[in-house]
Amino acid sequence: MLEYRIDRRSGMATYLQIVHQTKQALRLGLLEPGDKLPTAREVVEATAINPNTVLKAYRELEREGLVEARRGMGTFVRRSLGGSPADSPLRGELADWARRASAAGLERDDVAALFTSVLDQYFKGDDA
């Protein structure tokens, strides 16, 4: 089951963090069509956020056609964003690269900046 991690210092709205983490799980194949999202109550118990925040995130995902609410049953994944499964060889290569970057003394923000600059170079105008 998907477990949301809320970073209150991130500067990103809490409901957007839930939307982002759900989309990330869809892209990595951790969530597939038919899978049930955690209930708002389960998310609230795990993260101590307001239930309306969870519902707002789920409504946004539903508006984007990624999930559907079924009355009395919960919220279910409608479609995947697949492309790069969590166990793909590329993930392993990226993990090796991240280990080398850490060993070289780069901070997380340094790695993020470096990675973003490479993404921008190879994926111009491909914001999704």
Side-chain angles (χ1 to χ4, degrees), residues 59-121:
R59 279 193 305 271
E60 177 62 21
L61 291 164
E62 190 170 9
R63 189 190 64 74
E64 294 183 27
L66 298 173
V67 302
E68 65 180 333
R70 297 179 191 163
R71 185 175 289 273
M73 298 178 65
T75 303
F76 293 83
V77 174
R78 288 188 67 193
R79 67 180 177 95
S80 171
L81 292 173
S84 180
D87 59 352
S88 79
L90 287 173
R91 187 185 194 291
E93 291 175 27
L94 188 56
D96 288 341
W97 181 85
R99 269 192 290 276
R100 290 197 316 270
S102 177
L106 295 178
E107 298 288 331
R108 183 185 180 99
D109 288 343
D110 299 332
V111 171
L114 185 57
F115 190 73
T116 299
S117 74
V118 173
L119 284 177
D120 290 346
Q121 180 181 354

Side-chain angles (χ1 to χ4, degrees), residues 16-81:
L16 288 177
Q17 290 183 48
I18 292 172
V19 169
H20 176 75
Q21 290 174 32
T22 303
K23 288 181 175 180
Q24 200 167 27
L26 291 169
R27 289 188 189 288
L28 294 173
L30 301 174
L31 283 175
E32 297 180 349
D35 286 349
K36 184 179 178 184
L37 295 183
T39 65
R41 178 180 296 189
E42 291 169 334
V43 176
V44 167
E45 287 174 4
T47 62
I49 61 174
N50 186 308
N52 289 327
T53 302
V54 181
L55 297 175
K56 183 176 181 180
Y58 284 8
R59 279 193 305 271
E60 177 62 21
L61 291 164
E62 190 170 9
R63 189 190 64 74
E64 294 183 27
L66 298 173
V67 302
E68 65 180 333
R70 297 179 191 163
R71 185 175 289 273
M73 298 178 65
T75 303
F76 293 83
V77 174
R78 288 188 67 193
R79 67 180 177 95
S80 171
L81 292 173

